[in-house]
């Protein structure tokens, strides 16, 4: 029997923490379940090792692969992939700051035209960069691993039809929150419900010792806009009780955590020496910072998923639907969610009443469920492949 020859697709070529975790999770289970090859592909591709993740080829490399050595299966690796366009991926691959200039283009040029240009530049195969088309699904099994589907109904009519058609043709489909299940069910599509695949991160990177009275704060540039003074006031009050790490998780364009956190640090460092700015070099450093803290406060879904895995209390900030939906689905009583900029202290105070042993148990339970889902997905792929 010919060994499986499988590809995965995702946004693996930019430093957005969650996207970099997906190929690591897949690689960790692939070796145990298959003797075949698993290769990863993104928009431009990246060596990956400097960020602590797997190497990825480009969209043009993927097209060449389909021509020269057709794969036996395709994995859509997870995350908010269903609504991503070629323009979105291109804009988010540009260094922070310059992405704003590119984003201004769609005020005068229709997004569909920009996506067409970006697809041509990248040499992409499909109409949507991370959603294999119906022809691909007929050619090989396609599986979706704990993806988010909350944005499906925001797509244009044509793109929504493409996404739903691909999901219907898939060999296996799991989504990561109740809202995604309900949205797909409204379109006649059944999906398994599973925690995000990165919920097993504590198995990839063993926990570091907790540092008492420490707090990690993270937010994106977009979330901070218009709320900077409120956040500074809240963090300054917390710094009287906690050592605070301002941790940049999303360094890619479109997230730009470092831009936001530098602004906060400049203000806070004038009045306290209990705040530090952390720019991680790789995903292991991100995980270690969160794992060693008592509490994580942030906008990053995968920051929260990491905190849950290590038994670190979570305060999820508001105006991030995918984060709110995930926490409501999996940690309704063991995390604080939808916290506004002016209520951060209150949110952290709430977590101080949580039982630390219960937080560890929740993380272990979600990790087990996530691992089982990833194995089901790979088994479904390998049964055919």
């Amino acid at each position: 029997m010919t060994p499986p020859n499988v590809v995965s697709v995702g946004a693996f070529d930019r430093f957005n923490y969650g996207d970099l975790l997906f190929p690591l999770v897949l690689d960790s289970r692939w070796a145990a379940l298959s003797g075949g090859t698993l290769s990863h592909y993104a928009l431009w591709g990246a060596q990956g090792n400097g960020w602590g993740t797997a190497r990825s080829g480009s969209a043009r490399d993927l097209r060449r692969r389909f021509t020269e050595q057709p794969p036996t299966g395709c994995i859509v690796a997870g995350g908010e992939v269903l609504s991503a366009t070629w323009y979105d991926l291109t804009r988010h691959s540009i260094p922070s700051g310059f992405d704003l200039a590119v984003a201004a283009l769609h005020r005068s040029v229709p997004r569909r035209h920009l996506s067409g240009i970006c697809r041509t530049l990248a040499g992409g195969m499909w109409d949507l960069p991370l959603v294999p088309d119906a022809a691909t699904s007929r050619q090989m099994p396609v599986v979706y691993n704990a993806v988010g589907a909350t944005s499906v109904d925001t797509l244009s009519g044509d793109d929504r039809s493409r996404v739903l058609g691909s999901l219907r043709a898939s060999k296996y489909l799991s989504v990561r929150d109740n809202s995604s299940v309900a949205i797909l069910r409204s379109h006649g599509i059944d999906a398994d419900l599973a925690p995000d695949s990165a919920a097993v991160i504590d198995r990839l990177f063993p926990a570091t010792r907790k540092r008492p009275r420490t707090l990690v704060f993270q937010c994106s540039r977009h979330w901070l806009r218009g709320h900077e003074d409120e956040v500074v006031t809240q963090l300054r009050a917390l710094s009287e009780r906690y050592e605070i790490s301002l941790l940049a998780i999303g360094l890619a364009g479109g997230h730009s955590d470092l831009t936001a956190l530098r602004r906060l640090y400049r203000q806070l460092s004038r009045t306290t020496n209990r705040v530090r700015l952390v720019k991680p070099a790789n995903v292991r450093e991100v995980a270690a910072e969160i794992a060693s803290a008592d509490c994580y406060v942030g906008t990053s879904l995968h920051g929260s998923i990491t905190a849950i895995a290590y038994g670190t209390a979570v305060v999820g900030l508001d105006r991030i639907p995918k984060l709110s939906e995930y926490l409501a689905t999996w940690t309704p009583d063991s995390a604080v969610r939808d916290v506004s900029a002016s209520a951060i202290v209150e949110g952290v105070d709430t977590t101080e009443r949580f039982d630390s042993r219960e937080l560890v148990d929740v993380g272990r339970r979600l990790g087990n469920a996530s691992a089982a889902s990833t194995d089901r997905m790979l088994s479904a792929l390998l049964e055919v492949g």
Side-chain angles (χ1 to χ4, degrees):
M1 182 177 178
T2 304
N5 161 32
V6 171
V7 297
S8 81
V9 293
F12 312 138
D13 55 352
R14 57 184 183 175
F15 200 121
N16 183 40
Y17 174 63
D19 292 315
L20 299 181
L21 296 179
F22 297 136
L24 297 179
V25 172
L26 290 175
D27 286 349
S28 70
R29 295 308 304 152
W30 179 261
L33 295 175
S34 172
T37 59
L38 172 62
S39 305
H40 309 290
Y41 293 88
L43 179 65
W44 306 116
Q47 288 298 318
N49 54 349
W51 297 334
T53 191
R55 181 189 180 281
S56 58
S58 68
R60 197 175 301 278
D61 294 331
L62 181 63
R63 178 188 285 275
R64 189 179 305 115
R65 173 74 175 272
F66 269 69
T67 300
E68 298 176 356
Q69 188 186 8
T72 58
C74 178
I75 302 169
V76 181
E80 209 65 26
V81 294
L82 301 181
S83 60
T85 67
W86 291 102
Y87 168 66
D88 293 332
L89 290 191
T90 302
R91 179 164 61 92
H92 292 166
S93 71
I94 293 171
S96 177
F98 294 100
D99 62 311
L100 292 176
V102 176
L105 285 173
H106 74 251
R107 297 172 190 164
S108 54
V109 181
R111 291 177 71 99
R112 66 181 182 277
H113 291 163
L114 290 172
S115 278
I117 294 168
C118 292
R119 176 184 175 181
T120 299
L121 291 173
M125 291 178 55
W126 306 312
D127 290 315
L128 294 170
L130 303 178
V131 179
D133 60 16
T136 301
S137 295
R138 289 192 294 269
Q139 185 179 349
M140 69 190 67
V142 174
V143 294
Y144 289 82
N145 192 30
V147 298
T150 55
S151 58
V152 165
D153 283 340
T154 68
L155 295 169
S156 68
D158 288 345
D159 283 347
R160 184 165 59 249
S161 295
R162 292 184 182 103
V163 168
L164 295 175
S166 180
L167 296 181
R168 290 189 180 100
S170 65
K171 177 65 177 176
Y172 179 84
L173 168 63
S174 63
V175 294
R176 63 188 180 191
D177 57 67
N178 285 323
S179 180
S180 293
V181 171
I183 288 170
L184 293 183
R185 188 172 292 152
S186 73
H187 293 285
I189 298 173
D190 291 326
D192 284 354
L193 175 65
D196 191 275
S197 62
V200 300
I201 187 171
D202 59 317
R203 305 179 189 188
L204 302 178
F205 308 134
T208 53
R209 180 172 298 185
K210 292 286 185 184
R211 295 174 290 136
R213 309 306 294 174
T214 57
L215 181 147
V216 168
F217 179 85
Q218 169 274 333
C219 72
S220 67
R221 177 185 62 201
H222 177 76
W223 184 88
L224 185 63
R225 188 178 299 129
H227 299 277
E228 186 173 335
D229 291 342
E230 293 172 280
V231 175
V232 167
T233 299
Q234 296 285 302
L235 293 182
R236 184 174 288 127
L238 286 169
S239 71
E240 296 176 3
R241 293 183 279 150
Y242 290 90
E243 296 281 347
I244 299 177
S245 297
L246 303 177
L247 178 64
I249 288 178
L251 300 179
H255 297 274
S256 304
D257 292 7
L258 196 58
T259 302
L261 298 179
R262 278 176 173 156
R263 290 166 60 180
L264 295 176
Y265 180 74
R266 279 195 294 268
Q267 290 203 55
L268 290 165
S269 60
R270 295 170 188 160
T271 57
T272 179
N273 60 2
R274 291 168 60 82
V275 176
R276 65 192 184 105
L277 179 63
V278 181
K279 180 183 177 182
N282 53 56
V283 293
R284 183 184 290 271
E285 291 183 6
V286 174
E289 197 71 35
I290 296 173
S292 64
D294 287 333
C295 182
Y296 167 80
V297 181
T299 59
S300 167
L301 171 58
H302 286 92
S304 292
I305 289 168
T306 298
I308 294 165
Y310 291 111
T312 298
V314 171
V315 176
L317 297 174
D318 64 355
R319 296 179 281 125
I320 311 294
K322 65 180 181 180
L323 172 59
S324 298
E325 295 292 349
Y326 189 88
L327 295 179
T329 299
W330 299 109
T331 57
D333 303 315
S334 57
V336 185
R337 64 184 186 274
D338 293 318
V339 173
S340 67
S342 61
I344 293 171
V345 172
E346 181 182 348
V348 173
D349 287 346
T350 299
T351 68
E352 292 183 349
R353 298 193 290 270
F354 291 164
D355 185 327
S356 60
R357 292 168 298 182
E358 182 178 331
L359 295 181
V360 170
D361 287 343
V362 169
R364 185 179 299 115
R365 175 172 57 82
L366 295 189
N368 289 339
S370 173
S373 174
T374 297
D375 284 358
R376 282 196 302 274
M377 178 272 296
L378 290 175
S379 295
L381 183 72
L382 294 169
E383 282 174 7
V384 180

